[in-house]
Amino acid sequence: MSDSDPLLVIVDAANVVGSVPDGWWRDRRGAAERLRDRLAADGLPGHAGPVEIVLVVEGAARGVESVPGVRVEAASGSGDDRMVELVTAENDRPVLVVTADRELRRRVRELGAEVTGPRTVRP
């Protein structure tokens, strides 16, 4: 890792979208797209340095496209497993995973990632 490596922020789209009962279940893909667009516009609130944001989608949200500022990764199976793979692929780079899922939090912490809850990226 170099000092110029931005913080990698991996966002659990299903978990973050599902954290607010705003009707997301009627249009899962649309809800994931709105989250993606908010992340692209706002980045990581409260973080002054550069970030690279990866939004992991699964199920009905597959097909959401990447946009400048947010890379979208569609999990072919479990979104949690895909996020663990992404954390594992980073050697010494700082990684922050945004999720409230307890088991996922445990798994990525064991790999050296930090975790935070959905409120970090939700208004």
Side-chain angles (χ1 to χ4, degrees):
M1 180 185 94
S2 73
D3 290 339
S4 63
D5 286 338
L7 172 67
L8 176 61
V9 180
I10 301 171
V11 180
D12 181 349
N15 190 268
V16 172
V17 165
S19 69
V20 177
D22 61 1
W24 59 265
W25 52 89
R26 290 188 293 271
D27 181 10
R28 293 169 194 256
R29 183 174 174 166
E33 288 171 339
R34 287 187 297 279
L35 173 59
R36 176 205 59 200
D37 294 347
R38 187 168 51 252
L39 291 167
D42 298 343
L44 181 63
H47 183 78
V51 297
E52 176 185 348
I53 299 175
V54 177
L55 181 66
V56 177
V57 297
E58 60 187 316
R62 283 189 196 105
V64 171
E65 298 290 329
S66 296
V67 297
V70 179
R71 184 175 92 226
V72 178
E73 289 274 335
S76 59
S78 161
D80 290 4
D81 290 346
R82 182 65 187 131
M83 285 179 270
V84 169
E85 291 170 359
L86 290 168
V87 171
T88 301
E90 298 301 325
N91 293 327
D92 294 324
R93 183 177 178 187
V95 178
L96 176 67
V97 177
V98 181
T99 186
D101 182 294
R102 288 182 188 165
E103 177 61 13
L104 177 58
R105 290 169 78 100
R106 181 195 64 75
R107 291 173 68 189
V108 297
R109 277 189 178 128
E110 287 178 355
L111 297 169
E114 292 190 36
V115 295
T116 190
R119 287 185 183 158
T120 303
V121 296
R122 295 240 14 163

